[in-house]
Amino acid sequence: MSKPIYITESAFRTGLEGSSRPTEYRINVNDETMRVLYTKFKEHKGLPLRYPISDKARFEFEDLIFSLIDKGKIVVKKK
């Protein structure tokens, strides 16, 4: 079993509970750890690294991250 990845709450734009607006991104991809995961996601999907991804791909990335949190592969540390 691989070690979990630890992130802080600063990786989230609106907190773990999300936002009342369904089109708002929940994850801050400029967070140091999240940037690495975001880049790996783009590489895995064959998406260009220099440009933003589509909303559909971004929501797919965010769903993946929250799924990994639920599975315990990503652990959110409190400040």
Side-chain angles (χ1 to χ4, degrees):
M1 182 173 162
S2 61
K3 295 180 183 179
I5 297 169
Y6 291 92
I7 60 174
T8 62
E9 290 177 331
S10 66
F12 301 98
R13 297 182 74 206
T14 58
L16 287 172
E17 71 281 351
S19 171
S20 60
R21 296 185 307 188
T23 58
E24 185 175 296
Y25 298 138
R26 300 170 289 172
I27 294 176
N28 175 10
V29 295
N30 294 314
D31 175 78
E32 184 178 329
T33 305
M34 205 53 68
R35 169 61 66 188
V36 173
L37 297 174
Y38 181 63
T39 300
K40 287 184 181 208
F41 174 82
K42 288 168 74 171
E43 288 173 347
H44 177 74
K45 293 290 187 176
L47 300 169
L49 300 179
R50 297 175 140 232
Y51 303 105
I53 60 178
S54 68
D55 284 343
K56 180 181 177 184
R58 176 64 182 261
F59 290 127
E60 182 181 345
F61 168 71
E62 292 191 357
D63 289 342
L64 173 66
I65 294 299
F66 283 105
S67 171
L68 293 172
I69 290 170
D70 290 342
K71 293 176 182 177
K73 295 182 184 236
I74 295 177
V75 177
V76 181
K77 296 189 302 184
K78 301 290 181 189
K79 286 186 178 182

